[in-house]
Amino acid sequence: MFEETVTSLAAADTTAGRPPLQTLLSDAHSGVLLFGITPPRQSASPDEVRQIAAVTIARLAPLDVDGLVLYDIDDESDRNLDERPFPYLPTMDPAVFQADYLAGWDRPVVVYRCVGKYPEADLRSWLSEADTHTVLSVFVGASSNQKAVHTGLPKAHALRQEVRPDLLVGGVAITERYVRSRDEHLRIVAKQVQGCAFFISQVIYDVDATKSLVSDYFYACLEQEVAPRPILFTLSVCGSLKTLAFLKWLGVGIPRWLENALRYAPDPLAESYDHCVVAARELSAFCRRLGMPFGFNVESVSIRKVEIEASVALAAQVHALLGRPP
Amino acid sequence: MFEETVTSLAAADTTAGRPPLQTLLSDAHSGVLLFGITPPRQSASPDEVRQIAAVTIARLAPLDVDGLVLYDIDDESDRNLDERPFPYLPTMDPAVFQADYLAGWDRPVVVYRCVGKYPEADLRSWLSEADTHTVLSVFVGASSNQKAVHTGLPKAHALRQEVRPDLLVGGVAITERYVRSRDEHLRIVAKQVQGCAFFISQVIYDVDATKSLVSDYFYACLEQEVAPRPILFTLSVCGSLKTLAFLKWLGVGIPRWLENALRYAPDPLAESYDHCVVAARELSAFCRRLGMPFGFNVESVSIRKVEIEASVALAAQVHALLGRPP
């Protein structure tokens, strides 16, 4: 009991005067920092899930992030026929994990929704019940055109407008889709029109292409006379060649020079950590110069403890780099 | 007469102890700095050519570059059917410009040879007569497969080996070909086997892809157990949207963010100058960390005085950045 009080006081102290995530994003502030995690496996017992939640909250408590991101993992085997470097294990519904296990987390949670997984009625009932003080969402479309979906992305946005317009919703921004089709910036503008107030990128290793996506998005907004919405850049360390293979399997574009640097590095985790810091610096400087609102989302795509700990250290360094007091 | 003496003394002083370009390149030293120019138009009178040579030498005298690059301009209209932003004007043979007009220039000259333009006999006689103390060469192949050539690139290299093995010859390194075909690093290794002692890149605006090319080349050398040869990175400012169009016509890959930055810049010349300096810094740091020998070649693709002067200033700044005394 005493410990709980101390924790909340400490948390209140570090955020003194800082508006909540919803306000920061609505007002298109720069400097938002999130931390992303994958919910526990579906096979975990309630006790195990409670323990995972406690460990996670304890690990993130000193970080002063603006919110937590909970991914909604979809079996994307239809998207990539290559063997998955890590096996696909169904994970808990992030909305359930948030509602039933994260009461101890005192900041907002961005709940991802792969909308195609959910029948319209389920999505509707979740939307109507979500607590907008603690929950935001990111709607994600199907991972491929071939996939049968319960609810399409435009329908999901329409539902949100109808049922719960006060729930802040974002979308994903994908550098690799920009590289392939050169229209990702226009897709982002279109999602903004559908109601997205912010965007979270996929894991970024290709900083240069991401700058091009941001630049094209910024100038498309200028042309269409709409204000650009914040993009939060997702950074993840890569602690081993297996994680590198997994990043590539996920579709993360990695410039050859960086892939070579990781492959030949005596310590790939330290090497990738340094590159993430350089990426954060370069993207911050680029966005500031352009006048583009931005922030970061730090995660670990691997569940190895050493990589998770490096992600927490990275989030602390990005926090400092954003000019926020420690 | 007095002025001439002063100039030579000054030049001798600034290069005190520095080996000549041929030695620097043969020994794979890093830090070579060249300045590239296009020879005068064919239609210029001998007096005009003499004057151009004098102006050029005077402009470059304070620079302390290791050598001059003379391009061999080919009508590349077969390569690109789009309208050329600047008209194609036949230029003097760079070998003739070097031999007949550059006696006042006291450092080596790298004479480009678009080998396809020259019948074998012409190339053979030039090779046998070239003064290896003042002349190096870069052999360039045809700009497209469709083009009829007098002498192919492998034949030209074989001729050099036969007629003039002591003439130091380099090749071109093209980032954009790497981006398209992903085998440019292997082409470079193959040219090295044919006798190329160094490489000069095309104008670089895509630093990230160039780092990938260099990295793949470096590790291909490691795998094939050959020592990497120096690559000199060519930098050119871009002072107007017309120059930007010309760079694109030439096939220079420009990342979208940089193209947008130049298009929206109040002063594209200053903007591009800053980007060239950043490129030089980034490529230097990258090559130093990798252990890859490198240098720079600064030129102006435009003949506008303000762009040429900015190129001279850029060369001076790159000189300082290479850690060489002013």
Side-chain angles (χ1 to χ4, degrees), chain A residues 13-36:
Chain A
D13 188 52
T14 52
T15 50
R18 187 165 176 86
L21 179 59
Q22 292 87 335
T23 309
L24 292 168
L25 292 174
S26 292
D27 294 354
H29 272 287
S30 277
V32 161
L33 178 60
L34 304 179
F35 196 92

Side-chain angles (χ1 to χ4, degrees), chain A residues 178 182 206 208-209 211-212 215-216 219 222-223 255-258 260-261 264 271 274-275 282 286 289, chain B residues 178 182 206 208-209 211-212 215-216 219 222-223 255-258 260-261 264 271 274-275 282 286 289:
Chain A
Y178 172 81
R182 294 281 147 178
D206 192 344
D208 205 69
K211 282 162 69 179
S212 287
S215 173
D216 271 352
Y219 288 111
L222 200 71
E223 213 165 87
R256 276 294 290 187
W257 65 265
L258 184 45
N260 288 341
Y264 287 92
E271 183 81 20
D274 290 347
H275 282 294
E282 194 170 341
F286 183 75
R289 201 171 172 210
Chain B
Y178 173 79
R182 294 281 148 179
D206 191 344
D208 206 68
K211 282 162 68 180
S212 286
S215 173
D216 271 352
Y219 288 111
L222 200 71
E223 213 165 86
R256 277 294 290 189
W257 66 264
L258 183 45
N260 288 341
Y264 287 92
E271 183 80 20
D274 289 348
H275 282 292
E282 195 170 339
F286 183 76
R289 204 172 167 208

Side-chain angles (χ1 to χ4, degrees), chain B:
Chain B
M1 188 65 182
F2 175 69
E3 267 183 47
E4 252 179 27
T5 315
V6 169
T7 307
S8 337
L9 277 176
D13 189 50
T14 52
T15 51
R18 188 167 173 84
L21 179 59
Q22 293 87 334
T23 309
L24 292 168
L25 292 174
S26 292
D27 294 354
H29 271 287
S30 276
V32 161
L33 178 60
L34 304 179
F35 196 92
I37 62 169
T38 300
R41 278 175 293 133
Q42 258 177 22
S43 59
S45 70
D47 268 356
E48 286 171 325
V49 177
R50 260 187 293 276
Q51 209 197 326
I52 290 169
V55 167
T56 302
I57 292 170
R59 186 178 274 142
L60 300 184
L63 268 187
D64 184 32
V65 294
D66 295 301
L68 194 62
V69 169
L70 290 186
Y71 293 113
D72 193 4
I73 304 300
D74 202 6
D75 176 8
E76 301 192 344
S77 57
D78 60 306
R79 193 180 64 172
N80 189 335
L81 299 175
D82 295 339
E83 201 188 336
R84 206 176 191 278
F86 295 113
Y88 170 68
L89 296 171
T91 49
M92 280 182 71
D93 180 334
V96 173
F97 184 53
Q98 184 273 327
D100 296 353
Y101 296 90
L102 288 181
W105 173 253
D106 61 351
R107 300 193 187 184
V109 177
V110 181
V111 177
Y112 268 52
R113 308 261 72 178
C114 291
V115 296
K117 280 167 73 174
Y118 307 100
E120 202 180 307
D122 291 7
L123 211 54
R124 180 184 288 270
S125 78
W126 177 72
L127 281 168
S128 58
E129 287 159 21
D131 172 9
T132 56
H133 291 294
T134 53
V135 171
L136 300 80
S137 188
V138 161
F139 288 174
V140 185
S143 56
S144 79
N145 288 335
Q146 279 71 49
K147 197 156 186 164
V149 296
H150 290 290
T151 309
L153 196 52
K155 180 71 204 172
H157 279 295
L159 263 181
R160 204 261 329 182
Q161 292 281 19
E162 176 203 330
V163 178
R164 210 60 196 280
D166 53 325
L167 178 74
L168 210 66
V169 165
V172 293
I174 303 180
T175 298
E176 291 72 17
R177 195 153 59 190
Y178 173 79
V179 170
R180 267 196 315 276
S181 327
R182 294 281 148 179
D183 65 351
E184 181 67 358
H185 55 298
L186 301 176
R187 281 169 175 258
I188 296 176
V189 175
K191 285 184 193 168
Q192 176 172 343
V193 172
Q194 289 176 329
C196 285
F198 63 96
F199 296 90
I200 300 185
S201 81
Q202 280 201 328
V203 172
I204 286 172
Y205 269 73
D206 191 344
V207 171
D208 206 68
T210 302
K211 282 162 68 180
S212 286
L213 165 60
V214 168
S215 173
D216 271 352
Y217 169 63
F218 181 85
Y219 288 111
C221 286
L222 200 71
E223 213 165 86
Q224 300 185 29
E225 296 180 345
V226 296
R229 304 304 315 163
I231 297 185
L232 312 185
F233 303 111
T234 298
L235 302 174
S236 175
V237 297
C238 171
S240 70
L241 297 188
K242 194 157 181 187
T243 303
L244 180 64
F246 186 49
L247 283 169
K248 292 181 80 170
W249 186 90
L250 286 170
V252 176
I254 305 177
R256 277 294 290 189
W257 66 264
L258 183 45
E259 184 175 344
N260 288 341
L262 294 172
R263 278 191 195 286
Y264 287 92
D267 180 353
L269 184 58
E271 183 80 20
S272 77
Y273 183 96
D274 289 348
H275 282 292
C276 286
V277 173
V278 170
R281 265 203 206 106
E282 195 170 339
L283 289 167
S284 301
F286 183 76
C287 288
R288 280 183 182 134
R289 204 172 167 208
L290 198 58
M292 166 75 198
F294 72 98
F296 290 99
N297 170 40
V298 178
E299 64 157 314
S300 171
V301 299
S302 153
I303 54 165
R304 276 173 65 215
K305 192 155 181 273
V306 61
E307 296 188 51
I308 294 173
E309 281 167 359
S311 297
V312 173
L314 177 63
Q317 191 155 354
V318 171
H319 186 276
L321 188 147
L322 287 168
R324 288 170 53 179

Side-chain angles (χ1 to χ4, degrees), chain A residues 190-211:
Chain A
K191 285 184 193 169
Q192 176 172 344
V193 173
Q194 289 176 330
C196 285
F198 63 97
F199 296 90
I200 299 185
S201 80
Q202 281 201 329
V203 173
I204 286 172
Y205 269 73
D206 192 344
V207 172
D208 205 69
T210 302
K211 282 162 69 179

